[in-house]
Amino acid sequence: MSARFLRRRNPLRAALGVALLALAAGASGCAQIGESVPSAFSDPAKYELYDCKQIETERKSLTSRAAEQEGLMAKAQTGVGGAVVSELAYRNELISIRSQQKLADEAWRRNKCHEAPPASAAPVPAATPTPSPKDSRQPRSLIH
């Protein structure tokens, strides 16, 4: 064997390799913070002046938008390369919606809001009787 392969590796090169691995591990951890930082994608003061009815409407809207976005992501993942497309096209919007949901929920609790009872049906007015089709003639007066 050659003496070249038996030599020890350069310690500087080994330290550089360890530093690159540590940097890569640190950078991969940043990818996981997406949904835990709501202020990165939405304004924390957005719901400060909303009343309970407005917050309730907004929460319902955000819930339906999140469901729609998750549906789009699921649909994109069925195709070739779908996971990549799903992440690139839809993930940021979903994170934004969830951060808005979190802020709306905080405002909901802070304002001590309660769900509105379901709207009751308006009372149906009594139907007026219709004349029978047998006698379509006008009634005659008794006096001739």
Side-chain angles (χ1 to χ4, degrees):
M1 275 202 168
S2 169
R4 191 168 109 184
F5 291 114
L6 296 176
R7 276 192 285 174
R8 290 190 166 195
R9 299 221 182 236
N10 186 355
L12 182 60
R13 190 177 224 182
L16 181 63
V18 170
L20 285 174
L21 285 174
L23 181 64
S28 68
C30 291
Q32 300 299 322
I33 65 169
E35 294 181 30
S36 65
V37 182
S39 62
F41 285 95
S42 59
D43 180 18
K46 181 174 182 176
Y47 302 109
E48 289 296 318
L49 299 177
Y50 279 40
D51 64 6
C52 289
K53 184 174 173 111
Q54 292 170 320
I55 294 173
E56 182 177 15
T57 303
E58 186 70 13
R59 288 175 70 206
K60 288 178 183 177
S61 170
L62 289 170
T63 300
S64 67
R65 284 180 53 204
E68 177 184 351
Q69 200 70 16
E70 289 168 353
L72 290 172
M73 289 179 72
K75 184 177 178 182
Q77 289 179 355
T78 61
V80 176
V84 174
V85 171
S86 173
E87 290 297 316
L88 292 176
Y90 302 117
R91 176 62 65 184
N92 285 341
E93 180 67 21
L94 183 61
I95 291 171
S96 174
I97 292 168
R98 286 189 178 156
S99 65
Q100 288 178 19
Q101 280 180 316
K102 183 177 179 182
L103 292 172
D105 288 342
E106 288 173 2
W108 181 264
R109 284 188 298 274
R110 189 174 44 251
N111 291 346
K112 298 178 181 147
C113 298
H114 302 285
E115 293 286 332
S120 61
V124 178
T128 57
T130 57
S132 71
K134 291 180 186 176
D135 188 19
S136 60
R137 298 179 298 159
Q138 294 293 329
R140 289 193 229 170
S141 65
L142 295 175
I143 303 174
H144 292 282

